[in-house]
Amino acid sequence: MSSNNSHRNGGSISRPMKNDNNNNTNYYNSNNSKSSSSSSASSFKSKAQQSTSVTSTLRRSSTGGSSRDNSAVSGRVRVAVRLRPRNEEEMLADADFADCVELQPELKRLKLRKNNWDSDTYEFDEVLTEFASQKRVYEVVAKPVVESVLDGYNGTFMAYGQTGTGKTYTIGRLGEEDTANRGMMLRAMEDILAEVSPENDLVSVSYLQLYMETIQDLLNPANDNISIVEDPKTGDVSLPGATVVEIRDHKSFVELLQLGEAHRFAANTKLNTESSRSHAILMVNIKRSVKGGSSALSSENGNITLTGKTSKAPIVRKSKLVIVDLAGSERIDKSGSEGHTLEEAKSINLSLSALGKCINALAENSSHVPVRDSKLTRLLKDSFGGTARTSLIITVGPSPRHRGETSSTIMFGQRAMKVENMLKIKEEFDYKSLSRRLDIQLDKLMAEHERQQKVFQDEIERVTSEAQKRVVEVQRNYADALEKEKLKYEKDYMESVKKLEEQRATKQEKHGHQKLNSESPIVSASGDVAEMRKRLQNETLLRKAAEVEIDNLNNQLIHQKNAEDAGNAELLKLRKMLEDEIRQKAKLEEEIAVLQSQLLQISFEADETRRNLDRGLNGKVPSSLDSLIPQVKHQQCTDSGDGEKASMAKLFEQVGLHRILSLLEAEDADVRIHAVKVVANLAAEELNQEKIVEAGGLTSLLTLLRSSNDETIHRVAAGAIANLAMNETNQELIMSQGGISLLSLTAANAEDPQTLRMVAGAIANLCGNEKLQTKLRAQGGIKALLGMIRCRHPDVLAQVARGIANFAKCESRASTQGTKGGRSLLIEDGALTWMVQNANNEASPIRRHIELALCHLAQHEANAKEMISGGALWELVRISRDCSRDDIRTLAHRTLKFSPSFQAELKRLRIDYG
Ligand code: ADP
Ligand code: MG
């Protein structure tokens, strides 16, 4: 706090009064010490006390247990008295009477006349005569308070006095008619606005009226019951419900006061009262930022250390100026004439009498101050006995008729002068703005740090690349220099060699020449020669050393190459071994497969043998290919046969069809034979046929027919094909793969009747397929069949007959469906002769097939002529009479009967056939 501040505060209370200049505006420096009565008769009644004990002061001024009481300064409530000039009425009514008040401003004394000869004298802090200007009143009463408030203290100034004595004139006059008359509110705001900085400081006001213990908002009449809130910690009172208006210029403040007055007038009309009955309260809140160093707090805990620097927390000072135009102090309870009941009157004056009681208690250092008795005393808690700088102006009128009221006003003022406050600046650190500021600082530092780091890194990169460049350059320079040096030496060397050779040549020449003349030049040249020789030797030695080195290296190279070759050889050997192993393995696997297929075959044969034994009487030669002929194929297996079959199937599964088929192409003939046998046996089973064909078995079998010269293989393969040929789909496949020509070829080359039987069986099966007839015949199928007649074996002939019968049957079916016209292809190919010859063959299978075939041929009229000429008619007649099979016999008979050609021939021969 500046010395100027302390100069103005109550710390100088002990200064003698006489040092004060009357005109000095430093009103607070004045002492309120008693003065002696000027009149011997008058009793001196100054009530102000010379000093106040420090302890009591501290007690009274303690606020919220602040630890900073040592910075508080004692400040007594200052009281000035102002005398209103006589008004017109008084001038008339009191014309004959002297004023009851006499002022001695130079002595700061007021004399209250009791009567013409007796008066009481009172001393005040300031005595303002009826001539005192508003400006002067402001300067001595209010200005010091305003200055304190701007310094951060709370402040109060207020007017107390009887109605009509000039309280409002002093405090609230707007001076619209004459600006010199404007009151203290306006002047205070002028000073405040002149002092504060619009950027950093904040001035705001609330304007209120207190009437019958109700606080009304004069800036917003709707707020008519505002409550007082007390901070439990600091004890500070506030009115959160009141309108707060920020003031930026004087004009807006004047408008605000005018608005407040208008509202006050309206409110009082509504309440049927006068403004003299209510207290008008203007609250001005000022928030100021303190520039570094000047604060009371800054020396203590306002310093915050960050990165070694000291950063000052910004400090804000919050102060409050309370300006009160109190209600009239006259006792209204004595008259009911103003339309109030006694209770109302009591309530109207409650706040004012409570204020009086508090001031009394404070003046008397009483332990209890009834602050909480009224709203006014609660609002003025800080103004009396608190931390605020407080000035009170008491207004009095001159009229002796109001002597009593004037006296009580004076007594109030006298008591108030005894109230001691402890002035204290309310300031706090603005941590929010400090934090904001530090954040900004931190951000800046971080950015700077990052920037520097980047610069540093860039620098490192630059230095590194420069260094690398330099190294490269030096290396290059060095290499260049080395190269140059080398070239130079080489050149020198060549030149010196050349020179030496030239010298030698000249010397030899000379030598030869001089030999004839003199010996001496030789002696002189011999030195050079010796040196040359020495150099030559040297060079030779060096070259030898180099050659030795080269040899050495070559040796090493050879050595390494040898080692490598050895390694490679080893590798090759191992690879070969591995290949051998693989081959061995494949061979073994093949052998295993062969053994397994042999086992399969043996099992098969065993099964057959058992079956044949079971057949007993049949007495037929056991043949593994019995299954070929459908009629005798597979008798019902016995139970044991089932078991055998199951084990075979298992074996077959184990070995795998592909494996078996692959063995068809095995190099070993035995293996091939076994494999063909296995396939043939498998093909006898309808179940396996499809699988075999799918796996390419048919193709393999046909290939065997073509490629193999082995009769056995031919026989077995043809048997297998015959078995597969039982199925219609396979028949087409056989045909499409050139099966007929292969089978024909096989038949032509075969000796063994069993081979022929198999081939004939296969073709016979194919003959049963209507769709393939033309193709079969075109590929020589029928010719092949008839070709096999050369073998007289009845089994072969039976298959040939079956084939013919099958073919004839298909032809007859086609002719009845009208899809075939013309003569039978069988007849075309010359089958008829053999058929007629063997129609009555002793072997029943042959006979029956031919009989059937003849019947089929006879169905078609186109064949009739040939059949008649070929002798088939007689056979048909015989069949129709003698055939042991009923169905064939009936067929022959019906055929003869319904064929016009046969009937005509029979008629011609006069054979009666009916
Ligand atoms: P209060 O507010 O105390 O009831 P006012 O301020 O209304 O008294 O004053 C009553 C009358 O006296 C008003 O007409 C006012 O102009 C006049 N008056 C008061 N004080 C003075 C003064 N010092 N000089 C001239 N006129 C005054
Ligand atoms: Mg008034």
Side-chain angles (χ1 to χ4, degrees):
M1 202 182 293
S2 70
S3 59
N4 199 25
N5 283 351
S6 65
H7 184 60
R8 283 206 307 269
N9 70 31
S12 54
I13 191 167
S14 58
R15 282 178 66 189
M17 180 187 129
K18 59 181 175 238
N19 286 353
D20 284 353
N21 184 330
N22 269 352
N23 293 324
N24 194 341
T25 56
N26 282 344
Y27 156 73
Y28 279 90
N29 286 340
S30 66
N31 197 314
N32 68 334
S33 57
K34 288 173 261 179
S35 74
S36 58
S37 172
S38 62
S39 157
S40 56
S42 65
S43 59
F44 186 76
K45 295 225 173 172
S46 172
K47 301 296 187 286
Q49 285 182 339
Q50 188 66 282
S51 65
T52 314
S53 88
V54 171
T55 40
S56 74
T57 305
L58 282 174
R59 177 175 60 81
R60 285 163 195 284
S61 60
S62 79
T63 52
S66 166
S67 62
R68 295 179 36 71
D69 278 349
N70 55 353
S71 73
V73 191
S74 78
R76 183 177 52 77
V77 172
R78 303 284 152 168
V79 182
V81 62
R82 185 180 197 187
L83 177 64
R84 171 176 54 73
R86 278 192 182 204
N87 57 29
E88 279 175 28
E89 188 220 325
E90 285 166 339
M91 295 225 231
L92 287 172
D94 303 332
D96 298 333
F97 300 98
D99 289 350
C100 74
V101 176
E102 187 193 321
L103 300 179
Q104 294 177 311
E106 67 287 355
L107 298 171
K108 299 190 192 290
R109 282 183 189 167
L110 177 147
K111 276 187 179 176
L112 181 64
R113 229 183 271 276
K114 284 170 155 177
N115 44 51
N116 281 338
W117 57 89
D118 198 6
S119 64
D120 290 330
T121 302
Y122 302 93
E123 242 177 51
F124 285 94
D125 291 309
E126 203 63 53
V127 171
L128 298 157
T129 67
E130 62 268 47
F131 309 111
S133 68
Q134 290 280 71
K135 180 174 161 64
R136 179 166 159 71
V137 173
Y138 171 74
E139 279 175 355
V140 298
V141 177
K143 193 170 179 143
V145 176
V146 171
E147 283 173 346
S148 277
V149 169
L150 285 168
D151 282 340
Y153 298 92
N154 282 345
T156 311
F157 62 83
M158 56 199 290
Y160 180 96
Q162 189 188 353
T163 299
T165 52
K167 296 186 295 295
T168 306
Y169 184 89
T170 304
I171 299 283
R173 198 176 175 97
L174 295 176
E176 283 152 324
E177 74 298 338
D178 178 359
T179 48
N181 282 341
R182 66 196 197 281
M184 287 196 263
M185 274 183 185
L186 287 180
R187 289 172 193 273
M189 189 54 78
E190 279 164 20
D191 279 0
I192 288 167
L193 289 173
E195 181 77 7
V196 297
S197 121
E199 299 88 45
N200 303 319
D201 305 339
L202 181 75
V203 180
S204 59
V205 300
S206 299
Y207 197 17
L208 313 146
Q209 166 173 278
L210 173 60
Y211 176 65
M212 283 180 74
E213 293 307 287
T214 303
I215 301 173
Q216 297 158 319
D217 192 343
L218 289 178
L219 300 180
N220 178 10
N223 280 352
D224 57 3
N225 192 6
I226 292 169
S227 49
I228 301 170
V229 174
E230 215 164 308
D231 187 323
K233 267 191 204 158
T234 61
D236 285 347
V237 291
S238 59
L239 302 167
T243 304
V244 178
V245 178
E246 188 185 338
I247 302 298
R248 294 200 159 269
D249 57 75
H250 193 69
K251 191 170 160 256
S252 65
F253 181 63
V254 173
E255 284 165 6
L256 200 87
L257 289 186
Q258 283 168 339
L259 180 76
E261 277 317 307
H263 286 154
R264 194 179 187 197
F265 180 79
N268 290 338
T269 307
K270 204 168 135 194
L271 294 167
N272 190 26
T273 184
E274 297 164 23
S275 55
S276 63
R277 301 280 168 248
S278 64
H279 313 279
I281 304 159
L282 183 79
M283 288 191 173
V284 183
N285 282 293
I286 300 175
K287 191 173 148 190
R288 303 191 76 185
S289 310
V290 179
K291 277 163 212 120
S294 68
S295 162
L297 291 178
S298 61
S299 58
E300 287 186 16
N301 47 359
N303 297 342
I304 285 157
T305 303
L306 179 87
T307 63
K309 278 190 196 166
T310 298
S311 177
K312 280 206 181 80
I315 292 158
V316 285
R317 282 180 181 168
K318 288 180 182 170
S319 54
K320 186 162 77 176
L321 173 64
V322 182
I323 304 171
V324 189
D325 181 3
L326 288 167
S329 61
E330 65 276 3
R331 290 162 54 86
I332 57 156
D333 55 354
K334 63 184 173 190
S335 83
S337 61
E338 291 179 48
H340 289 285
T341 64
L342 192 59
E343 282 309 304
E344 278 173 334
K346 267 187 192 165
S347 182
I348 287 165
N349 263 1
L350 177 70
S351 276
L352 210 54
S353 53
L355 179 65
K357 279 178 199 161
C358 284
I359 285 173
N360 281 352
L362 287 163
E364 286 160 18
N365 269 338
S366 164
S367 60
H368 175 65
V369 181
V371 172
R372 307 196 62 82
D373 280 5
S374 76
K375 292 210 167 146
L376 182 66
T377 47
R378 285 173 71 195
L379 279 176
L380 296 177
K381 191 179 161 222
D382 199 39
S383 307
F384 294 95
T387 66
R389 184 183 290 288
T390 300
S391 271
L392 175 69
I393 184 160
I394 57 167
T395 55
V396 294
S399 171
R401 280 181 292 140
H402 298 299
R403 199 187 161 279
E405 297 294 349
T406 304
S407 171
S408 76
T409 298
I410 288 166
M411 294 319 291
F412 180 88
Q414 287 290 300
R415 282 193 295 274
M417 282 175 80
K418 290 182 192 168
V419 176
E420 197 75 32
N421 285 358
M422 280 306 277
L423 274 53
K424 207 188 128 200
I425 288 181
K426 297 251 175 79
E427 62 185 17
E428 54 192 46
F429 294 112
D430 188 352
Y431 286 108
K432 265 192 210 162
S433 91
L434 175 67
S435 157
R436 229 176 4 250
R437 218 172 67 196
L438 291 178
D439 266 355
I440 292 166
Q441 207 176 326
L442 191 65
D443 280 346
K444 268 191 200 157
L445 286 172
M446 271 159 64
E448 175 65 16
H449 176 69
E450 203 182 0
R451 198 181 61 75
Q452 281 180 359
Q453 217 169 21
K454 177 87 193 356
V455 168
F456 181 65
Q457 224 136 30
D458 288 354
E459 183 64 17
I460 284 180
E461 269 167 36
R462 196 185 60 74
V463 167
T464 310
S465 79
E466 200 145 290
Q468 278 172 347
K469 244 190 256 164
R470 254 187 231 171
V471 166
V472 168
E473 204 175 311
V474 166
Q475 278 177 342
R476 201 179 44 228
N477 288 347
Y478 181 69
D480 285 355
L482 216 62
E483 187 67 17
K484 249 186 231 164
E485 197 84 344
K486 200 177 130 197
L487 282 171
K488 196 181 142 220
Y489 280 125
E490 273 176 4
K491 208 172 141 197
D492 285 357
Y493 174 73
M494 294 304 285
E495 269 171 12
S496 50
V497 167
K498 212 168 130 192
K499 238 184 226 166
L500 284 171
E501 269 170 2
E502 276 170 12
Q503 278 176 7
R504 204 178 65 165
T506 2
K507 271 175 192 166
Q508 265 176 353
E509 208 175 288
K510 265 187 197 169
H511 183 63
H513 187 65
Q514 284 172 354
K515 219 177 179 179
L516 303 170
N517 306 326
S518 132
E519 290 289 308
S520 62
I522 299 169
V523 176
S524 68
S526 69
D528 282 355
V529 171
E531 199 191 326
M532 260 169 54
R533 199 163 282 157
K534 206 170 153 194
R535 271 198 206 171
L536 204 66
Q537 267 174 358
N538 229 359
E539 292 291 327
T540 316
L541 277 176
L542 280 171
R543 215 181 110 186
K544 265 187 187 154
E547 274 169 7
V548 167
E549 185 65 14
I550 285 168
D551 281 352
N552 229 358
L553 286 170
N554 274 342
N555 279 342
Q556 275 181 23
L557 200 69
I558 288 163
H559 198 74
Q560 275 186 355
K561 222 172 206 170
N562 285 344
E564 204 184 299
D565 286 350
N568 281 344
E570 186 70 14
L571 205 68
L572 272 172
K573 213 166 111 191
L574 285 171
R575 202 167 279 161
K576 213 172 164 196
M577 271 164 76
L578 191 69
E579 276 166 13
D580 282 352
E581 289 291 325
I582 289 167
R583 248 201 304 282
Q584 198 78 11
K585 191 185 156 201
K587 218 172 173 181
L588 283 173
E589 274 175 354
E590 205 167 88
E591 269 172 29
I592 287 168
V594 169
L595 286 172
Q596 279 173 332
S597 74
Q598 281 174 356
L599 186 59
L600 196 64
Q601 177 66 19
I602 289 163
S603 310
F604 230 114
E605 279 163 9
D607 183 34
E608 285 302 306
T609 313
R610 186 176 300 115
R611 254 191 279 159
N612 286 323
L613 284 172
D614 285 348
R615 272 185 231 156
L617 288 172
N618 204 322
K620 242 183 143 188
V621 182
S623 162
S624 62
L625 295 167
D626 244 359
S627 56
L628 167 67
I629 300 154
Q631 289 92 327
V632 292
K633 196 182 101 189
H634 293 312
Q635 293 192 335
Q636 284 304 310
C637 289
T638 57
D639 288 348
S640 66
D642 268 346
E644 199 67 42
K645 215 177 182 181
S647 73
M648 270 226 340
K650 203 174 156 199
L651 196 62
F652 166 42
E653 218 160 79
Q654 277 175 1
V655 176
L657 184 60
H658 283 276
R659 182 98 222 162
I660 294 169
L661 291 177
S662 75
L663 291 174
L664 290 177
E665 283 146 41
E667 281 170 38
D668 191 318
D670 280 346
V671 173
R672 273 206 308 275
I673 289 168
H674 275 298
V676 182
K677 281 182 180 173
V678 171
V679 173
N681 274 317
L682 289 170
E685 286 288 339
E686 219 173 305
L687 252 162
N688 299 330
Q689 287 171 0
E690 200 182 326
K691 284 185 204 161
I692 291 167
V693 174
E694 258 176 29
L698 179 60
T699 315
S700 303
L701 290 167
L702 289 169
T703 311
L704 273 181
L705 283 188
R706 187 186 299 129
S707 62
S708 175
N709 295 321
D710 190 304
E711 176 95 37
T712 315
I713 285 182
H714 283 179
R715 187 185 71 231
V716 183
I721 292 168
N723 277 339
L724 292 176
M726 292 190 298
N727 173 302
E728 207 176 294
T729 319
N730 294 345
Q731 288 165 357
E732 280 167 23
L733 277 173
I734 293 166
M735 291 296 289
S736 69
Q737 292 185 24
I740 284 296
S741 44
L742 283 171
L743 287 167
S744 306
L745 197 69
T746 311
N749 297 329
E751 304 271 323
D752 182 1
Q754 287 308 319
T755 309
L756 291 169
R757 180 170 77 101
M758 298 305 164
V759 175
I763 296 176
N765 280 344
L766 295 171
C767 284
N769 191 324
E770 261 172 76
K771 287 183 239 162
L772 303 175
Q773 293 238 288
T774 324
K775 207 174 172 190
L776 180 100
R777 190 248 174 176
Q779 291 180 4
I782 292 165
K783 291 253 190 223
L785 206 57
L786 294 173
M788 282 183 274
I789 298 167
R790 75 175 193 274
C791 169
R792 307 233 163 245
H793 197 288
D795 284 351
V796 179
L797 296 181
Q799 291 305 323
V800 172
R802 187 169 67 88
I804 287 169
N806 276 348
F807 200 89
K809 189 174 109 190
C810 291
E811 271 190 340
S812 106
R813 205 176 288 160
S815 71
T816 47
Q817 285 167 0
T819 52
K820 186 183 181 297
R823 264 196 322 193
S824 162
L825 297 172
L826 287 168
I827 297 172
E828 299 270 304
D829 280 356
L832 195 61
T833 317
W834 182 74
M835 285 167 76
V836 173
Q837 282 170 4
N838 289 279
N840 203 11
N841 192 299
E842 57 188 355
S844 69
I846 303 169
R847 188 175 65 237
R848 209 177 306 121
H849 283 309
I850 293 177
E851 283 171 350
L852 206 54
L854 285 172
C855 286
H856 286 310
L857 289 178
Q859 300 297 312
H860 199 36
E861 277 292 298
N863 297 330
K865 199 181 157 202
E866 258 71 27
M867 287 186 82
I868 293 165
S869 65
L873 178 61
W874 304 119
E875 285 307 318
L876 281 168
V877 173
R878 180 192 58 79
I879 294 163
S880 70
R881 285 180 182 153
D882 301 338
C883 185
S884 60
R885 267 177 60 175
D886 291 349
D887 50 345
I888 298 173
R889 204 172 58 232
T890 315
L891 182 62
H893 177 71
R894 241 189 313 156
T895 310
L896 289 174
K897 203 174 170 187
F898 291 106
S899 161
S901 305
F902 287 133
Q903 282 295 325
E905 178 65 3
L906 286 171
K907 216 176 244 170
R908 194 180 65 84
L909 296 172
R910 293 165 213 251
I911 293 171
D912 182 28
Y913 190 87

